[in-house]
Each structure stands twice: as structure tokens, then as C-alpha cells.
Amino acid sequence: LESELNEDPNVQGLALDLPESLYSSKVLNAVKPEKDVDGLSDVNLGRLVRGDAYDCLVPPTVCAVMELLEDLGGKNVLLVGASGTVGAALQCMLQREGATTLSCRWKAPELQTKLNHADVVIVGSTKPDDVPVSWIKPGTTIISCSRDLVSGKRQRWIQSQQYRKWDLRCLKLQLLSPVPSDIEISRAQSPKAVDVLAKEIGLLTDEVEIYGQTKAKVRLSLLERLKDQPDGKYVLVAGITPTPLGEGKSTVTIGLVQALTAHLNINSFACLRQPSQGPTFGVKGGAAGGGYAQVIPMEEFNLHLTGDIHAITAANNLLAAAIDARILHENTQSDKALYNRLVPVVNGVRGFSAIQLARLRRLGISKTDPGTLTEEEINKFARLDIDPSTITWQRVVDTNDRFLRKITVGQANTEKGFVRQAQFDIAVASEIMAILALTTSLQDMKERLGKMVVANDKKGEPITAEDLGVTGALAVLMKDAIKPTLMQTLEGTPVFVHAGPFANIAHGNSSVLADKIALKLVGEKGFVVTEAGFGADIGMEKFFNIKCRASGLVPSVVVLVATVRALKMHGGGPNVTAGAPLKKEYTEENLQLVADGCCNLQKQIQITQLFGVPVVVALNVFKTDSPAEIDLVCKIAKQSGAFDAVPCNHWSAGGRGAVKLAQAVERAANQKNNFKYLYSLELPIVEKIRIIAQKVYGAQDIELSPTAQSQVDRYTRQGFGNLPICMAKTHLSLSHQPERKGVPTGFILPISDVRASIGAGFIYPLVGTMSTMPGLPTRPCFYDIDLDPITEQVKGLF
Amino acid sequence: LESELNEDPNVQGLALDLPESLYSSKVLNAVKPEKDVDGLSDVNLGRLVRGDAYDCLVPPTVCAVMELLEDLGGKNVLLVGASGTVGAALQCMLQREGATTLSCRWKAPELQTKLNHADVVIVGSTKPDDVPVSWIKPGTTIISCSRDLVSGKRQRWIQSQQYRKWDLRCLKLQLLSPVPSDIEISRAQSPKAVDVLAKEIGLLTDEVEIYGQTKAKVRLSLLERLKDQPDGKYVLVAGITPTPLGEGKSTVTIGLVQALTAHLNINSFACLRQPSQGPTFGVKGGAAGGGYAQVIPMEEFNLHLTGDIHAITAANNLLAAAIDARILHENTQSDKALYNRLVPVVNGVRGFSAIQLARLRRLGISKTDPGTLTEEEINKFARLDIDPSTITWQRVVDTNDRFLRKITVGQANTEKGFVRQAQFDIAVASEIMAILALTTSLQDMKERLGKMVVANDKKGEPITAEDLGVTGALAVLMKDAIKPTLMQTLEGTPVFVHAGPFANIAHGNSSVLADKIALKLVGEKGFVVTEAGFGADIGMEKFFNIKCRASGLVPSVVVLVATVRALKMHGGGPNVTAGAPLKKEYTEENLQLVADGCCNLQKQIQITQLFGVPVVVALNVFKTDSPAEIDLVCKIAKQSGAFDAVPCNHWSAGGRGAVKLAQAVERAANQKNNFKYLYSLELPIVEKIRIIAQKVYGAQDIELSPTAQSQVDRYTRQGFGNLPICMAKTHLSLSHQPERKGVPTGFILPISDVRASIGAGFIYPLVGTMSTMPGLPTRPCFYDIDLDPITEQVKGLF
């Protein structure tokens, strides 16, 4: 019967949304033919309620039935093998819904007649031998907790499940004035249980992995289930050139989704980067938004989250350890000893591992028996011959540890003098983080991890993680990190937190996978809002040319964030010192400074237009901004080609303060969209760099150092010439000189070096030196951080 | 009413087991007086079923009610304000249970009368103004989902909840022969959902934090709830002196609980260490037991688990970064500049943070206004004056990275020449791991973290984490790691995985908190089985003298694990080479070698008897062991004073193979127990070391190097003289010479250095050099590890 039922196209099978691990052995036994199952035996649904697994098995059943009945109202429902207390409860509830209910044991003689009259059959257990498929009339809905009976159907049902408008319970804000600290606001709000949120946005139970009360990972299988569903609109939040005064891109991102979903009743998702713990304990504090536009609980967001950065650290450092250990072992062993250790006899058998066979194939050796390799082949296979001076793979920690910026490793006697100079980077600067952000599947991630180039051999050929035999282990370490983490805003709307690559030497955008999943979950009319680090000239340019190329996704709207204060600084306002009171230029009306500073806004609007995407300017309002200043910025923005320009107050008012922005974004998303990349990948590396420098930064030209030129030549020769470009340039100016605010012109952009992240898939030219390891100041912010041992509450994160 | 109800000792309040985060705003609103709530409004329980939060709110309600009714059968039940679909369903179910049910709206005139007749009142929502407490007769049980009404009572109910025998569904094993690989066995078994397991062993919903399908953290609040419940029996698994052939302490630990719970129906818990990821990818493979005695899923056990080791790494390295950064800042700033930065003006106000005030108090400065400190006080406060040559705090990674054994840090120009030699240890060697294993509460952990000594100042006084201002941040980073992780064995019995300190320089035992929680959960007749690393002379000695002292727990039985093969090596059998076939001495009967080797077993039994605890020898049987060999070992063991000696076969047969061991352990646990520590803490450090060396190791005496002696003097002077001793000695021999098998005698134990983990609370003398960073071999086991990108299955872990 099982196979018949599963293959009969007339039978509509519905399985309940229970992960397999929730089935008890009794339920599994219940679908095996040798068991005698009837309404009174101890394996029917009623018994299970009182038995061993009721609290996971039955409540979803009851709820799912009730939910289904809304769609199936007034049907004839037959309960088969569902007696006992819950069988009766089900019957009672079904009757209240207006369904006609019958109940029957599996062996009862009247089963065939009853089945014939039923529109819906609810089976508490199955006894396949007794039920010929012909007894079930075409079009009957079967609700079962027996997976074997309907497993084929379940697949079909899941695939065909269509998008529904969310029935989301938003959380109310109790706005206080003056606005309390971020952690006080976060703590004052009780987040919804994350499994409730997951259900509200259409996730199935087995697509969600709960991590505590407020975080969950979402499985990638959803992309397969919803692959035929159209994507929602894709919104990028970018900014003007940053100043020490801050612009608030994250708060705009969060405020915008709070406005869309909690106030305009439009499905929306924010996709954010996971912050590094370095700055959390260093100088910056949290990164979960601020004021009444935050992700909650903010301490979870800012601490370990679901461990993705730790997984990256572990994978990164395993590879680093493998490089140095391999050099040591190669340098201290003969070819034969090395080969015997690499391909040992285990229980009398000697064989290559899969990853070793792959290396043999790359070397053009088609042998599979370790005993048959020639001495030359053994040498080729066993020696990577890494040139230590070319190692580009660095160790990482997720701590601001300045003393690790330049170190010497290998000084213990056990390392036999193979010392070398090395460094630690902050964990988010790892290429593995850039890969996590750009990958599109587990298979793709594994391939990218294998392709990472860590050094050259002594002949100048690239050495990869795959050559070191570590691809599989890296993928195993990253298998959970690839799943985006679901959290919520202060108003209870959904947020994905996933990946946070360093925005200097990498692309600085959150993950492609989170965006893709969110675009399916919001549905065609919904919005996914994500953020690009730094100014639009850096973050947005990389978002379009690198991230959108990796994902194939087309952005609908760019939201460009500006503040009156930051524009005043671009207009020539005085420098700002941390701790000192703000100068009066920033706290009193000064229309001239604003007007002068708008050149930067104008330039960033023009950069956006290079990509053919409509731009909405979001002016993040401070209480010292005068109405005339606000009007002036909006007027200039619109004159400069913005689709609209809107002041917003989400920091003090939550989503309600960003409703006008949300409306403008919605209108802009319906504009004609001519999205295009800035350059073709086929162009030579130098040409691609020049296009970015001239068209985006406004440089007159570029100038490569000899090192940079030789690296370009090397990468081109190694076959990496047609990767996109990821500029490593200061974010504090459109030029390479941080002190040049506004819109600098006439400069020659110096390229001091060129490096590559082959696994992530980009070339990164260095414009000056980029620090990849922050430091702790004299008074790190950990002085204010504390844990109340009684309430378990975190204090002092902001 | 709320306070009246909560304070009236005659009213027995029962709240449902729902975490607060599951309450919807509507439920919370429902208990506010200004809302008009009646049976037909939209805030009663019935409405909520169909409304926004039904699937978390109602199923526990229904189930909880049904469970409660078993105890309350035949009572008069009044449903107040619980109408709608679920109200009716409840009524229907209650009737089936034989309860007389009434239902009533809150405002109904008959409420008082009905309340007077009810034994049990189920309230779907509350309208406190309408219900004077006098209406509720003494002894009435109230079941409510409104937390405010009964929050006081809830506390009382939770505290009084008594232990019940577990109703545990065990998983069946399908034993195969030959025994497949560990990961194949692990993967062939479907674990129960961890929330089901948690419920089965008596955990309340809000005491559990789910991490995916198979792992959960357990909150420490349980210790308060069950504090009046007697502990179960406490069993320690220890071993003979290890050999390269392995003994199988972990498999015995797991096999024993599988036997106790799945075969003898006795509540039991295994408490295990979390393995380091270093060996997982290096040489050793997994550590989740083996064969049919394993923790599943073994890949989760061996990988990130719930992130505890990553949290330790983060905390450890934040402290390390703080030390070097502080030295740099002190060396490059005047007292005034330093002070101004440490105590900055923020928004016009200047104040000390809490941790700075604490430092002032330690310095004997009672001022609280930063402006009033004298120059001398500023100097004392702002300068820690760390002597870099005395730094004992090392950075850690959870990777076998041998090139970090000795490094030079601070070589970048930004660190202005303050280079120094340092090292990385493997993460589990961090003192924070030792603290995690010994702590008894969040408060205690925070205090221990603050007390950690990281260096001396230039006057020789200890500098602590608290002096660096980082205690709170460390506690915040460790706030989730302090909760033990719940997993399960292959047979579905519960396991805690928590902490795994390095067994050389620390005590090598899993956590006190996991043991304490497990001892409450198993109940008075149940068993908690935990493990001591290495041989009994090291692991068990530290377990008794350090861990039991920290916990105050008294062990009931020691299980001493031996194998015929390992005993043969102690009897003079030939050396074993990895990869090479075993010599015939180990695969053929050789009674003489066995008899000779039993000297080691005998000595370890005698060591156990020093502590007054009965010992059962578990002989872990291999298929090559002859019946005569097995009998001989058991005979000698019993002659040597073991309470019993039992061969066991859990590796090939699961719990069934350890039933005889379990029965012997149960009998032994009923023996008279004379547990005592080996030495008094009041003795001088040197005397304590001598007692361990002579009584446990069998040394003739000890000999301290001048360095060791000066360290002893320093610690004694600093007030750390009465800490317990944690010997850092090779585990491969009872002596300090690894090659001396059997029972060496007449040796003088050389103490080369003495160090201290003040936060963890022990002094550790070094007997020779201890490597705290393993290395990767030529062919690390990651060559075999892979991830199937389609099934997401991990391959090659063993």
C-alpha cells in the first residue's frame, strides 16, 4: 500500500510538519505491517498522547489539524485509529469548526464505507494491509503522523507549498524620552520565542535549528522547497563617506524593516552582518543598530551568536597549522619517509585517501595503487615544496590583539629552527569569512575552501588548501556556519545575521545565502533590506560588482544614508575629538556648511546611478538638526537625481519614524531598473582597477608599484585574471587620503600591492597599508561590561 | 489580589511550565486590571489558540493539564475564562479523565459559588479585580497561564516538585559483527529529539536551552529548584597507568550508564569532558566513546558542541590582549595622560567604573571622585607596573599548532619595540577551562575569573584579571559556557558534556556543575558516572583532592578500568608501534605477562583505598583475551582488595555487555564509605607534594629545584600556600620516567618548577617539562575527514 499510495497521483498526501527525530519508535513501529494496530491498542494516537513522546508529537498534530481545518471547513472528516483522550479532543474541536466527524478503528468492517464518504482522513497510525488504495477516493486529503505512508507525498506537498502573507505578531514599543541606552531598550523588550517567529514567516519545523530562546539557524533546504517562488524586492542601504560622527546605516536598515512590516504590514527581512567580538570589547561597543531600531537581544547579537565566527577561526587556524607543519615535515624527511607517512599501511592495507587521489589526478598521475608510483611521482606527490616567503595565509583571533600584528613563529626547539615572520589578523578578515558571505551552497563552499591559495611553491605555482588535504575538514568545521541565524527586531520582525567579512580587504557584505533565503520568505511583494559597509563608493561598489555577481541577484533600490552633521564635516566643519563636547557648527544651524557638504552626497548618488538602480536618500535626523537644514539636504538630494529624499526618526521612534522612508522605498522599487555591473570580468586586472578608480573615486588615474605590477602579472599568468576587483582603500575619503573630505579630484590612486582571495573569488589591490588587526585602547570598553550573577543580565554593552 | 494570593499560605498556586518569552503580549495584557476580559472576548485562552501564539502557548497547556489530572483524578474542575475551541477541548478531555467540570466567565454572578465548590481551577485569563481571595477555598489548586497571578506560588511549586522515576524511552541497538566504525554506528542510530529527552529526565521547559536537534544547555536554576532533593550515587571511572594500547575509560563510562538505565531501569547519567578539536583533526580522532558505547551524534560531540571551548578561547585571549596592551599604554604615557584616559570625561561627567572603584578599595583609597586623587594615588591607581618577564598568562587556540609553542610578539612598529617571547597553548590548557570545571555558580565563576593571577608587578605582587578591569567581560563571554550540555548515548540515556581541562597542568576532570545537576536529576537511587583522565594515580588523585574538595561531593564507588593487553605491557610485554601488527604476546594467551602486569592494577587499587572508597575493576575485554587470562586478572584484582572485578563487553554489545559491571557497581555503592582527602590543605606546599609523591606514586622522596623552591616561597608569601596540589607529571608511568612501566620504586621525584592557577585554585608543580601544545603529524587525520554536500553527513571521524 505504501508505494501505491505514494505513486497514485489522485491521492493528495499531507504529512505533518514534524522533523523525523520527533517520531518515537512506537510511531515508526506503527507503520510496519507486522504490528497489529487498532483503535484500542497501545500504539494509536490516543495512547501516544499519554505515552512517551506526546508533547512533541501531539501538540503540532492538534494545531496543524486546526490550521488545516480553516482551509477545509465543512468537510467530512474521518478519524482512523485516533481514539483515546486526544482522539476525543480532536473530535470535539473538529465539531466546533463545523466539520462532520466520524471515527473508526483500522480493522472495523465499516472502514471502506466511511473512507468513501470522507473528504479528509486523519490517521493516528496506519495498518497498510487493511486499506487498499482503491478505498480512498480521489481528492481525499490524508493527514497522518506516519511518515512512511505519505513520505512521497510529503515531498510533493512541501514543494508545492505556496507563499502566504505572514501572520506576524509585532511587538509594541514603549517609547521613552530621552531615549535610554541601547542595552536598556533591548532588555526592556521581551522577544518572541524564535520558533514562533519562524512559524510566522513560513518556515517549517525541520527547516529550523533552535539555539536557545532567541536564535535559530535556518537550513538551506528551504531554497529547494521554494525555488519556484518569485523573489521579493532587494534593497541595499549604503552611506555617504563616513565621518567620526557616524551616519547610522544599521539603524536605518532596521528602522526600515520595522516600518515596512510592523507599520505598513508588508513582509520584510533585514539581513545584517555578524559583528566581530574584537570591537565589542575594544572601542566600538555593539553593532545591533541603536535606539528603537535594534536587533534583540543585542547582547546575543554581539557575543558568540551561533558560533559562526568561532567556526571560521577554527577552520582558518587549522589550515595555518597545516601549512607550517607540512613545511617542517617536508624539510626533515626523505621522499620515501614522507611518502610512507602520508600513505601508511593501515591494518595491512595501503591506500590513498580520496583527497590524495584528487591530488594525483591534478598532477596527471592516474595510478591508484600506492606501490606503483615511480620515485619521481612520489616526489611530485609528497612534496608541496612551499616557499615560506610567499605564505599569504595568516592565523586569526576574534580579539583586538595588537601584539599579534607581527610575530615570529616556530622558535621552540621542536620546530628545529624553521622560524618565520607571520601575523594574526582579526577573525573576520579571514578569507573563509569572505567565502561564507559569497557562497551559494554547501558544495560551492567546499569547492571555494579547496581553491584557497595559501602560498606559492618554489616554482611560483599556487598551493591550495586542497593540496594540503584539508578541504573536507574545513567544510566539516563550517557545516553549521553556512546556515543563516534568525533573530528579530525590537518590533518582532525577522532578521538574518550571517557573515561579516572585513570591509577593507574583503567585500564587507553579509551573506548571499541569507539574502536568497529571505527573498523567498518575504515573497514577491515583500522586501529584503541589507547593508553595505563604509561609504557607497566602497561598500556598495563591492556589493554590486562582487556580491551581486556571485549571487546573480538584482537590487531594486539603494537607500543612501546621510546626516546633517556628517555633511557639515564634508562641507569643511571642524574636526571632532572623542569625549570633547561637539563644536557649535554641529549643534547650531549652519546652512552654508550643509550646502557645501552635500557635494559628497551628490557624488555618492552619482556613483549609485552608474549601476542603474534608483536611489532614495534617508536623512537620519538628530534633535539639533534644524528644519531648514533638513529641507536643504532633501532638496539637494532630489536635484542630484535621487528618486526621493526623506528625513527619518527610527532611532527615537522605532519603525513609525521610518514609515515615510518605507513608502518612498516601496515606490522606488516599482521604478524601471537598469541594473548593470561597472566592468566586464574579461578586462585585464589593471583596466578593472582603473575603471573603479576613475568612475567611482573620481581619480585622474592609477599608478602601480613594481610589486603590484608583478603580482598582477603573476595572477594573470596563474589564470586568475578574470576575477572581480575588491579595492582595499581607506573608507574615510573618496581618495586614498583619509583627511580629504568632500569630493577630492585630480588625484592619482597609488596601488602599492595586489593580493588575491582565490577561494572567495576576487583580487584585492592595496591602496596604502590596511591594518587587519585592531588594538585595545588604554581604556577598552570592557571596563563598563559586567554580568549580574543573579539575574544573568549583561550590563555595559551599548 | 495578586499579592494576597501569593502570600496566602492556604492557596496552592500552580503555574504552567512555560518560559516567559513564550507569553504573548496578549496574555500579558490579559492580567492587567484595565482590560475587560471575559469568556467571549478575544484575550481568553480559546482565542489565543487560533490567534498569534497558539503553538507554543496551548500545547503545553493541554499536555500539562492532562498530566496534572492523573494526580488529581476525580476532582471538581472549574474552567474560568477558558472558552472557545480549546476550552471545549479541555472540557472534553477532563470529562474523559473522570473530572467533574464546570465553566464560568470571570464576571459571571455564579463565580463565587462555583469557586467554592472547585478543587481545581483552570484560568485561561485573569481579571483580578473580580476575584477576592476569600472566594478561593483553602487547598484549591490553581492552574493558570497568567504569570502575574501566581508568580509567587510558582516558585513554591517548583521548589517542592519531587523527583519521579524517569519514564525514559531507550533506543534499541542493532548490533552488527564485526563492529562497524564509530561514525557508522553513530550515524545508524536516530537520536531522540533533545527536548524529549530533557522532559523524560524531569527538566522543565524553561530549564533547557535547545541547540539544534540533539544538544541542549541546562540552566543552573535547576540546582535551586531541587536543592532539597537527595543526591544520587557518585561513581568515578579511573584507569591503570595508560599504555599506547588504550584502556577504554570512556567506553566503560558510557557502557555503564547504558547498562544501568537501558537494561536495569535505574536512572543514570554520564558526565563527560568536552574534547579539544586539536586532536580531532590531529592524531587521535573522536572522544565520544566507541563501538556500541558512544555519545551520539559523535560528530557534534567532537566538533563545536555548544561553543564552550570557543568561549574559553575568546575570554582567554581577551585577557592576554589586555595584558600586553596595558604594558604598552603604561610605558608610553605619563601618569596624568594614563589617568585621563582611564577615567575620561563622558558627556561632561567624570566617574570611576565599578571595577575601578573596587581597585581603589583594594589599594586602600576610599575616594570616589576622580578629581580628588593625589598624584601618588593616581600613580598607584593607574599603573599596574607589570613585569613582562613574569607573565604567566598565555594565548590559546583550539588547534594543534606546534609553530606557536614559542613565538615573539609585538614586532610591528605600532608596538614601539615592546617585543617579548610568548607562547600559545591548546585552548583546553587555559586556566579558564580549569575554572569552568571547578566552579559552582555564576557568582563563584566571576570571582575565580577575577582572581586569576597573570603576572607579578615589579615589586613581586600578583596582578590579577580584576586589576586589568576585565572580570565582567570574561564573565559575560562565559555566561552560556557555564551551562552543561545535554546529549545522549546510543541507547538514548542522558549524558552531560561539560568542560575538559588539560589533564597535565590542570585536573583533567569534567565539571562540578554537570555532576551536581545530574546527581539531582537521577534522584537518590540513581547513579552519576564520571571519568578521570590518565591513570588513577593522576586523574583520580586530582578528582578526589581537587574536584571533590571544590564540590563537597562524596564519591560512592571507583570503577578501575584495565585490559589484558595493557597489563601485559606493564608485565614487560614488547613495545607497540603505531601501524605495525601487534606482536604475538598481545594476541595469544600469556598468563605470565598478565600476572606480572597486575602489579600496576594492584598498585592503583591500593591508591584508591587510600581514599576509603570501594573499587570495582572493569576488565574491558578484547576478542583475543583468553578465558584464563580474564579469570586471572579478576582473581588478582579481588585478592588485591577490589570489591569486585568484572569482564565487560559494551564495545561490541552496548549496555547489555556491561550489565554485570552495573550490578557490581550498584552493590558496591551500598558499601560503607569512608571517603577522606589525602592531605590537609593547611600543610606547607612542599609537604603536600611529598605526600602525593610518596603515598600515591611510590617515590622515595621529592627534590625541588632552586626555581621550584623560590616559587613555593613566593606563593606562600603571597598567601596561596593552602591551595591543593595539581601535579604535572607524565601519565605514562607512576614515576616521572615514562618508560618505567609496572610499579617503579626507589625514585626521587624531581620538581623542576612550581606554578599556580589561583582562579582555578591550585598550585601545580612541574615534574619535567609538559607540552601544552600538541602538533600535527605528517599525515593528520583530516586527510580522511570529509563532508557530503548533499546529505550533510560527516565522513572519516573515528
Side-chain angles (χ1 to χ4, degrees), chain B residues 675-694:
Chain B
F675 176 64
K676 55 181 180 292
Y677 304 126
L678 189 67
Y679 53 80
S680 156
L681 293 182
E682 310 305 319
L683 293 173
I685 291 173
V686 172
E687 200 44 44
K688 288 184 277 198
I689 299 173
R690 184 173 289 116
I691 288 174
I692 296 171
Q694 291 178 332

Side-chain angles (χ1 to χ4, degrees), chain B residues 24-246:
Chain B
S24 73
S25 60
K26 282 189 178 169
V27 174
L28 295 177
N29 289 341
V31 295
K32 290 186 184 149
E34 71 273 20
K35 286 267 176 173
D36 184 353
V37 181
D38 68 40
L40 291 179
S41 82
D42 69 350
V43 287
N44 63 61
L45 186 60
R47 173 67 187 85
L48 280 167
V49 174
R50 316 305 312 279
D52 49 6
Y54 62 85
D55 54 350
C56 49
L57 187 65
V58 170
T61 307
V62 173
C63 295
V65 166
M66 296 181 65
E67 195 173 301
L68 285 165
L69 286 179
E70 292 192 22
D71 302 332
L72 301 170
K75 297 287 171 71
N76 295 316
V77 181
L78 176 64
L79 293 166
V80 188
S83 67
T85 304
V86 156
L90 270 175
Q91 199 155 0
C92 167
M93 284 183 269
L94 289 164
Q95 277 161 359
R96 286 188 64 93
E97 293 296 330
T100 310
T101 59
L102 292 167
S103 121
C104 191
R105 298 183 193 177
W106 277 112
K107 284 182 158 178
E110 67 274 23
L111 181 59
Q112 183 176 7
T113 319
K114 289 189 174 176
L115 277 169
N116 201 32
H117 285 92
D119 303 313
V120 180
V121 181
I122 301 180
V123 289
S125 57
T126 62
K127 182 80 175 69
D129 290 350
D130 294 347
V131 191
V133 71
S134 60
W135 288 12
I136 300 174
K137 68 175 179 193
T140 302
T141 297
I142 300 169
I143 300 174
S144 168
C145 43
S146 309
R147 83 180 148 158
D148 292 3
L149 183 67
V150 287
S151 54
K153 296 296 157 192
R154 171 180 168 73
Q155 206 53 39
R156 239 172 277 166
W157 171 69
I158 282 175
Q159 282 177 15
S160 68
Q161 210 204 31
Q162 284 307 306
Y163 159 76
R164 302 189 214 178
K165 180 129 193 62
W166 295 347
D167 186 13
L168 196 84
R169 181 175 66 84
C170 294
L171 304 176
K172 293 270 173 300
L173 291 179
Q174 298 214 306
L175 301 175
L176 297 178
S177 179
V179 176
S181 76
D182 291 353
I183 188 132
E184 283 170 316
I185 292 175
S186 172
R187 220 157 47 200
Q189 188 72 299
S190 284
K192 290 183 280 194
V194 71
D195 54 337
V196 174
L197 174 64
K199 198 105 183 177
E200 287 176 343
I201 60 173
L203 286 161
L204 305 182
T205 304
D206 57 3
E207 287 168 351
V208 180
E209 296 172 1
I210 304 295
Y211 278 65
Q213 291 295 318
T214 54
K215 298 169 292 183
K217 282 195 168 287
V218 174
R219 304 184 73 180
L220 308 187
S221 59
L222 176 139
L223 286 172
E224 177 61 23
R225 171 170 69 92
L226 297 181
K227 68 172 186 295
D228 297 327
Q229 161 144 337
D231 284 345
K233 311 285 187 185
Y234 195 29
V235 178
L236 179 74
V237 175
I240 59 168
T241 300
T243 71
L245 291 162

Side-chain angles (χ1 to χ4, degrees), chain A residues 98-115:
Chain A
T100 310
T101 58
L102 292 166
S103 122
C104 191
R105 298 183 192 175
W106 276 112
K107 284 183 158 177
E110 67 274 22
L111 181 59
Q112 183 178 7
T113 320
K114 288 188 174 175
L115 278 169

